[in-house]
Amino acid sequence: MRKIVKKELVTLEEFIIETQNQFPEATGDLSQLLRDLALAGKIIGQEINRTIIRDPKNPAGFKETPQERIDRLENFASKQLTFALRRSGIVNQIVTEESEKPLQVDKNGQYVVILDPLDGTFNIEINASIGTIFSIYRRVTERGSEPSEKDILQPGLQQIASGYIMYGSSVMLVFSTEGLGVNLFTLDESLGEFFLAIENIKIPKNGNIFSLNTSYYQGWNEAVKKYYAILRGEQGDGNISYRYIGSLVADVHRTLLEGGIFLFPASTYYPKGKLKLMYQCNPLAFLVEQAGGRASSSAKRILNMKPEALDQTISVMMGSVQNVLDAEKIIRD
Ligand code: FBP
């Protein structure tokens, strides 16, 4: 049962301060990064809404093709996030899926932030939820030294925080810092404030929703096809529902709240999987595990994987512990 928060409304700022006070040694740096990300999220959310609601100054709406719109919003999001994160002076490198190479920010910065600025953007045309995914690491090299790839290619277990901002019917910020659980904030646009909506999300141990793109069926290996047959009830009791939005943040958000399993298996179309280890899988796996779930790739814990390259893709399954264990057993066997 989800713990409903206390009667009075708790703002993101109050939550950050309360949490920080629990850790006297906390420097406040991480809090600052979360504030910066939340600010960028408000601005990005506004731009997305403005895009969907035609610009009043231009009744015919933006003269742009869907792809131009996607590119514009992805660049806008990347710029807003980078601008917000640079202000703090505590970030050493910012790595976004959109930029060719890591952005060196401050040689004395202590943190590396890895971002998928706007994921699932083709959904913008149908107003389905899309999202920003973020991952925060401490650098492993000496402060003041030249930025190094070693600071970026760290296993997901080294994350000190991760989360996403989902732009949907409302803007939601979901994040977790090591050991502090997963907390969901909803933006009240009239006040410009994020309010705590669900505290310490715990993913159900077993769920009855499965989520994967079945149009890749022909490209799956036999084990995945067998697992899918069981899910569809050909070999099991079939009391499981199918949901697939095709926007990673939305599919994982539903899985976090409702339980079940999200999968993106490797296939002949994506031999190494489609989803990116550093930008998408690590931050979401961290959240799922902090919420008491499980996240694996070919039955290996995602957070333990040693990244080989920034744009490395992997097969992925994540969600309720029991659902993922069942899937691992069948797909591994
Ligand atoms: P990109 O990494 O190319 O942006 O794709 C990510 C994504 O859009 C995810 O949001 C989503 O889970 C997945 O691709 C959907 O892929 P498909 O449309 O092939 O099912």
Side-chain angles (χ1 to χ4, degrees):
M1 185 59 184
R2 281 181 231 146
K3 188 175 160 212
I4 305 298
V5 296
K6 304 178 280 297
K7 284 280 171 283
E8 71 276 7
L9 289 171
V10 176
T11 65
L12 174 63
E13 186 54 32
E14 287 164 337
F15 182 87
I16 286 176
I17 291 168
E18 273 173 34
T19 307
Q20 192 178 298
N21 291 345
Q22 290 173 34
F23 297 90
E25 76 284 359
T27 59
D29 283 353
L30 186 56
S31 303
Q32 187 52 49
L33 293 179
L34 290 173
R35 284 188 194 96
D36 293 338
L37 288 163
L39 171 63
K42 291 180 193 175
I43 297 168
I44 296 164
Q46 189 185 57
E47 180 65 13
I48 289 170
N49 287 339
R50 204 171 71 84
T51 295
I52 292 166
I53 303 158
R54 294 290 177 200
D55 183 335
K57 293 189 293 300
N58 174 3
F62 290 106
K63 296 234 177 311
E64 59 187 0
T65 64
Q67 190 55 50
E68 285 166 344
R69 183 171 306 126
I70 287 172
D71 294 343
R72 174 171 60 80
L73 286 172
E74 286 181 350
N75 291 328
F76 180 88
S78 196
K79 283 196 175 66
Q80 288 303 323
L81 288 157
T82 304
F83 173 76
L85 287 167
R86 293 179 76 141
R87 299 179 323 158
S88 59
I90 56 177
V91 174
N92 175 238
Q93 297 188 71
I94 299 173
V95 191
T96 88
E97 201 186 8
E98 261 64 55
S99 56
E100 294 299 308
K101 58 187 187 352
L103 180 70
Q104 320 302 342
V105 183
D106 190 315
K107 264 175 79 170
N108 295 313
Q110 180 65 354
Y111 300 93
V112 171
V113 183
I114 300 180
L115 294 160
D116 185 350
L118 209 52
D119 177 83
T121 26
F122 55 87
N123 281 296
I124 189 82
E125 299 306 305
I126 57 164
N127 196 20
S129 299
I130 59 180
T132 294
I133 306 171
F134 61 87
S135 213
I136 302 175
Y137 294 82
R138 270 194 197 82
R139 70 186 295 182
V140 294
T141 55
E142 275 303 299
R143 294 177 75 157
S145 64
E146 284 307 306
S148 150
E149 194 177 68
K150 284 204 291 279
D151 293 317
I152 297 169
L153 294 182
Q154 300 186 48
L157 208 54
Q158 300 304 318
Q159 291 172 99
I160 55 168
S162 83
Y164 54 82
I165 304 166
M166 187 167 71
Y167 312 100
S169 49
S170 58
V171 178
M172 287 186 174
L173 168 64
V174 178
F175 71 84
S176 178
T177 46
E178 177 66 56
L180 276 176
V182 180
N183 296 288
L184 186 156
F185 298 81
T186 301
L187 179 65
D188 177 324
E189 281 163 10
S190 63
L191 299 174
E193 281 283 7
F194 277 103
F195 287 97
L196 184 61
I198 307 178
E199 196 171 12
N200 198 18
I201 295 174
K202 285 299 170 206
I203 191 167
K205 284 287 168 250
N206 206 339
N208 64 355
I209 297 172
F210 74 99
S211 181
L212 78 166
N213 184 339
T214 57
S215 67
Y216 297 125
Y217 179 86
Q218 293 309 334
W220 292 338
N221 67 27
E222 287 315 307
V224 177
K225 287 181 180 175
K226 178 182 171 201
Y227 174 63
Y228 178 54
I230 291 171
L231 289 175
R232 277 200 319 190
E234 281 163 13
Q235 298 171 28
D237 51 13
N239 71 339
I240 190 163
S241 303
Y242 175 67
R243 298 279 185 281
Y244 188 73
I245 301 166
S247 176
L248 181 57
V249 167
D251 279 316
V252 173
H253 184 73
R254 181 203 55 247
T255 305
L256 264 182
L257 296 184
E258 305 299 334
I261 184 168
F262 168 82
L263 306 99
F264 206 115
S267 66
T268 51
Y269 312 100
Y270 294 102
K272 291 189 182 312
K274 174 181 186 180
L275 299 178
K276 305 220 175 41
L277 172 60
M278 297 307 291
Y279 296 110
Q280 296 158 334
C281 301
N282 268 335
L284 297 175
F286 183 82
L287 281 182
V288 164
E289 288 203 5
Q290 290 289 317
R294 186 178 175 89
S296 59
S297 175
S298 309
K300 289 192 298 290
R301 186 186 183 196
I302 289 174
L303 293 184
N304 283 344
M305 295 174 81
K306 177 84 185 82
E308 284 139 28
L310 202 44
D311 59 355
Q312 178 180 353
T313 61
I314 59 169
S315 67
V316 61
M317 58 173 83
M318 54 175 76
S320 298
V321 171
Q322 196 51 58
N323 296 82
V324 175
L325 284 171
D326 294 347
E328 283 175 5
K329 184 166 175 4
I330 294 162
I331 291 176
R332 179 177 49 217
D333 293 353

